[in-house]
Amino acid sequence: TLALCLARAAARAGVRVALLEADYGSRQIAARLGVDTPCDWPQTARRGVSWTEAAIWSIEDRITVLPLAEEDDEPPLRLDEPAVTRLIDQLRGQFELLIIDTPPLGDPQGDFFAAGDECPIDAVILVRDQRVAVASHTQQVVRRIREAGIEAVGLAHNYCKHPNP
């Protein structure tokens, strides 16, 4: 939800934005936008075909979406695979803002991107579920993000209790 909201807000501000859906456990972006996914970005990355084959332009939202198909017979592409890094580099050359909706860290597909100079990510917003979040785990995740070479780390607190007015 946060990734889609950020993409929409940036597009309304006039930013050329792409949204890459990489959370295999929660394939919902295409459905939320009401678009079909005849071909998804992992299929194009595996075949060495241009990302444009999988890209969907959401006219109403003014964002380019690279969704995951509802089902795929192939195993998920890991975020630290060279094909994913190449795709991200290509997208960064075409868009002012690339938002990647990733799986939770600790998920089998959630291993982070290649570290150091190979890391294609500039900043991370870590979504923290306040119902189950543990401070020591959050600190560990932030440490992993920084070890990958990413300096900008933001926290978004989700499911916070609000006091009654």
Side-chain angles (χ1 to χ4, degrees), residues 60-108:
E60 183 177 324
D61 296 297
R62 296 190 313 257
I63 60 176
T64 299
V65 180
L66 286 102
L68 291 170
E70 286 185 28
E71 293 183 25
D72 191 353
D73 294 335
E74 298 287 327
L77 279 177
R78 293 173 48 92
L79 296 176
D80 57 355
E81 290 188 38
V84 176
T85 300
R86 282 191 300 276
L87 172 65
I88 292 169
D89 287 339
Q90 291 169 4
L91 294 170
R92 287 175 64 179
Q94 298 295 316
F95 297 93
E96 296 169 287
L97 177 63
L98 171 60
I99 297 172
I100 305 171
D101 184 27
T102 66
L105 292 176
D107 183 278

Side-chain angles (χ1 to χ4, degrees), residues 105 126 134-147:
L105 292 176
L126 180 62
V134 176
S136 61
H137 180 258
T138 301
Q139 292 168 349
Q140 179 185 20
V141 171
V142 169
R143 189 171 31 259
R144 282 182 60 201
I145 291 168
R146 292 213 168 140
E147 287 171 356

